[in-house]
């Protein structure tokens, strides 16, 4: 005869083997890094970023958690993704319309921001040889601490905008220009 305890243990073992990880409510566990997105229209261009928002949680960020000189994506679980509906210039360099993963090589004085044609990527698996554009950006100290990583457009004009990556006390600004015609 099978005891009730044996049935319960078998149920737990079966759930563990099939990878079924659910809370008591039957819902999947809530991720620590929540999904975030921001969209901005700049002239005739729609720019949309989707990313997971890692949280600082008291950790030293740049130079410690995120190593200087190492490729990193400003996201958690999956690479940050940017979609651009028409060609733009970003920090003076042309970026064609499309959807790209975003990566960065942080440094204390200058960051390299990478746009990679493999739009969907795991955050720890940089797609080598797929870069479409690399630009330089100069980090700026922020007055306020951003506990969760965020992208924002703090300035938007008729055909230009500033896109900022902000985490902790670090801001990485990128200048965007869009033109209503195709003369880019």
């Amino acid at each position: 005869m099978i005891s009730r305890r044996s049935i319960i243990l078998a149920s737990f073992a079966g759930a563990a083997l099939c990878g079924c990880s659910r809370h008591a409510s039957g819902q999947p566990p809530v991720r620590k890094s929540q999904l975030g997105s921001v969209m901005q229209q700049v002239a005739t261009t729609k720019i949309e970023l989707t990313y997971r928002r890692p949280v600082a949680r008291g950790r030293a960020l740049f130079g410690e958690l995120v190593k200087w000189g190492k490729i990193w994506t400003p996201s958690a679980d999956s690479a940050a993704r940017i979609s651009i509906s028409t060609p733009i210039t970003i920090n003076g360099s042309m970026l064609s319309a499309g959807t790209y993963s975003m990566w960065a090589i942080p440094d204390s004085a200058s960051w390299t921001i990478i746009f990679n044609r493999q739009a969907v990527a795991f955050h720890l698996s940089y797609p080598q040889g797929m870069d479409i554009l690399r630009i330089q950006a100069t980090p700026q100290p922020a007055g306020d601490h951003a506990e969760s990583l965020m992208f924002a457009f703090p300035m938007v004009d008729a055909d230009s905008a500033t896109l900022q990556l902000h985490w902790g006390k670090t801001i990485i600004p990128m200048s965007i220009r869009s033109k209503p015609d195709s003369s880019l």
Side-chain angles (χ1 to χ4, degrees):
M1 188 121 188
I2 300 174
S3 72
R4 181 169 186 207
R5 182 171 187 252
S6 296
I7 293 171
I8 291 170
L9 288 174
S11 296
F12 282 121
L17 287 173
C18 77
C20 302
S21 174
R22 299 216 177 255
H23 288 305
S25 67
Q27 298 297 314
V30 175
R31 294 176 186 231
K32 289 183 178 182
S33 299
Q34 293 293 300
L35 184 64
S37 66
V38 62
M39 188 282 294
Q40 182 62 57
Q41 188 81 24
V42 180
T44 60
T45 303
K46 180 180 178 181
I47 302 168
E48 194 166 14
L49 285 113
T50 306
Y51 59 105
R52 290 223 169 253
R53 301 186 66 195
V55 181
R57 293 185 191 92
R59 299 175 290 183
L61 300 176
F62 300 109
E64 295 292 325
L65 178 66
V66 178
K67 305 290 185 211
W68 296 134
K70 302 287 184 188
I71 293 178
W72 164 78
T73 186
S75 184
D77 302 326
S78 59
R81 189 169 54 246
I82 186 168
S83 295
I84 304 160
S85 65
T86 66
I88 62 170
T89 59
I90 185 159
N91 285 10
S93 296
M94 173 136 142
L95 182 59
S96 298
T99 301
Y100 309 102
S101 58
M102 280 183 73
W103 303 81
I105 303 172
D107 194 88
S108 60
S110 180
W111 284 38
T112 301
I113 306 296
I114 304 166
F115 299 88
N116 188 286
R117 64 178 62 111
Q118 185 173 323
V120 177
F122 181 61
H123 74 291
L124 299 176
S125 298
Y126 171 67
Q128 297 278 344
M130 305 275 293
D131 295 352
I132 194 82
L133 177 66
R134 287 182 175 218
I135 61 169
Q136 294 304 121
T138 303
Q140 298 177 346
D144 295 325
H145 173 79
E147 182 66 13
S148 294
L149 182 141
M150 69 175 155
F151 284 98
F153 289 90
M155 190 292 295
V156 180
D157 204 349
D159 68 348
S160 62
T162 300
L163 169 62
Q164 287 183 343
L165 182 164
H166 183 177
W167 197 23
K169 291 197 173 264
T170 300
I171 291 178
I172 307 301
M174 292 164 267
S175 299
I176 294 173
R177 182 159 302 278
S178 174
K179 294 185 180 178
D181 60 31
S182 59
S183 63
L184 280 175

